Amino acid sequence: MHRPQAHQPTPPTPPFDSQAARRLRTALGMGPEHVAYGMRASYGLPHVSPDLVVAWERGIVVPGGPELTALAGVLWCSPGELVDAPRTLREHRVARGLAPEDVAHGVGLELLAYIRMEEACEWRGNDRQSAALADLLDLSLPDFITVTGRDGRLGELLRSAVTTRWQAYVRAVGKLLPLDRRLLEDVLEEMYANYQRQMVATLSWGTATAADARKSGRDYLDRIVEHFWSTVERHP
């Protein structure tokens, strides 16, 4: 008896920058038909049509990994120029134009082990492998924290720091981040002060003002990690 094959989940696609694709094509004086022909003739992708290229540029559909690599080749750019703000391990790898084998070898992991980490969006490498990963993918510290799944824990600590006693969280944040302790103290103290200033407004006699302040406080907590990195950048 014929049994239907189990549905295989579609792998996540990189965050494609459709406007960049259109801008690069236009700068080269190419039409969608030229791009499609180049991808068919030079990269063996017979399904790529001018209509598909237009759909990519309009954000209707997103090119997969092989299509993104071929598109970058035809447009004479790196895959990273067609990727908008990569966040996951896979997105950073694709942005660098690397194959899974390249990263696995570069960080000293078995290929299957690396692929499992990438698919699960959960990095489990040791300190040496983590340092190699950051170097290979040219990750900034914020990107490294996100890729290795530490941003959730960082957010929890920061929310507690600005809503209670920031001094009690310097050490815990320092265990997550290789930052100078004095810098962390300055940053947490500033963030605590900023948040508390917003919340003091809730004591105002004006109901609307208090409601606005509470909403502003919630928004600040929702974007706490973003505020943290921007504050770090402002400090020498």
Side-chain angles (χ1 to χ4, degrees):
M1 178 184 292
H2 174 71
R3 295 183 179 180
Q5 293 183 344
H7 174 69
Q8 296 295 322
T10 302
T13 55
F16 181 64
D17 190 339
S18 57
Q19 294 183 355
R22 179 178 176 82
R23 182 175 65 252
L24 288 166
R25 174 180 63 76
T26 302
L28 291 171
M30 301 172 67
E33 66 277 9
H34 301 126
V35 174
Y37 175 79
M39 294 180 68
R40 293 196 303 268
S42 300
Y43 294 90
L45 298 176
H47 65 283
V48 177
S49 66
D51 288 341
L52 180 57
V53 174
V54 171
W56 289 338
E57 294 182 355
R58 292 180 177 175
I60 298 172
V61 293
V62 177
E67 293 169 334
L68 181 68
T69 301
L71 180 61
V74 171
L75 295 179
W76 290 86
C77 68
S78 69
E81 293 178 75
L82 297 173
V83 174
D84 183 23
R87 289 184 56 82
T88 67
L89 181 55
R90 179 180 185 274
E91 289 170 359
H92 279 282
R93 173 179 61 75
V94 171
R96 291 288 166 187
L98 297 173
E101 294 84 353
D102 299 327
V103 180
H105 176 74
V107 302
L109 281 170
E110 294 292 333
L111 177 59
L112 183 57
Y114 170 76
I115 290 176
R116 286 173 177 168
M117 293 183 196
E118 189 175 279
E119 291 176 345
C121 295
E122 183 180 354
W123 174 252
R124 297 188 299 276
N126 57 34
D127 290 344
R128 179 186 59 78
Q129 292 166 334
S130 295
L133 180 75
D135 182 64
L136 184 63
L137 299 182
D138 194 20
L139 298 174
S140 65
L141 182 56
D143 285 338
F144 177 75
I145 296 301
T146 298
V147 163
T148 54
R150 303 180 191 182
D151 52 346
R153 176 58 177 162
L154 177 60
E156 293 175 2
L157 293 173
L158 294 175
R159 279 186 284 272
S160 297
V162 302
T163 55
T164 56
R165 293 181 64 254
W166 65 266
Q167 297 91 336
Y169 293 89
V170 174
R171 184 176 181 182
V173 174
K175 288 183 177 180
L176 284 180
L177 309 173
L179 293 176
D180 180 75
R181 181 182 177 90
R182 181 60 183 174
L183 172 61
L184 283 178
E185 291 175 346
D186 291 343
V187 169
L188 293 183
E189 183 177 14
E190 180 179 330
M191 293 179 66
Y192 173 85
N194 289 340
Y195 177 75
Q196 295 302 320
R197 275 196 297 270
Q198 294 184 45
M199 299 312 296
V200 164
T202 62
L203 301 177
S204 169
W205 288 101
T207 303
T209 302
D212 290 342
R214 285 193 294 271
K215 181 179 184 302
S216 178
R218 289 194 298 270
D219 291 343
Y220 189 88
L221 294 179
D222 288 342
R223 300 174 59 190
I224 193 72
V225 174
E226 179 181 339
H227 288 302
F228 173 77
W229 291 121
S230 64
T231 306
V232 168
E233 291 178 358
R234 288 199 305 270
H235 281 259

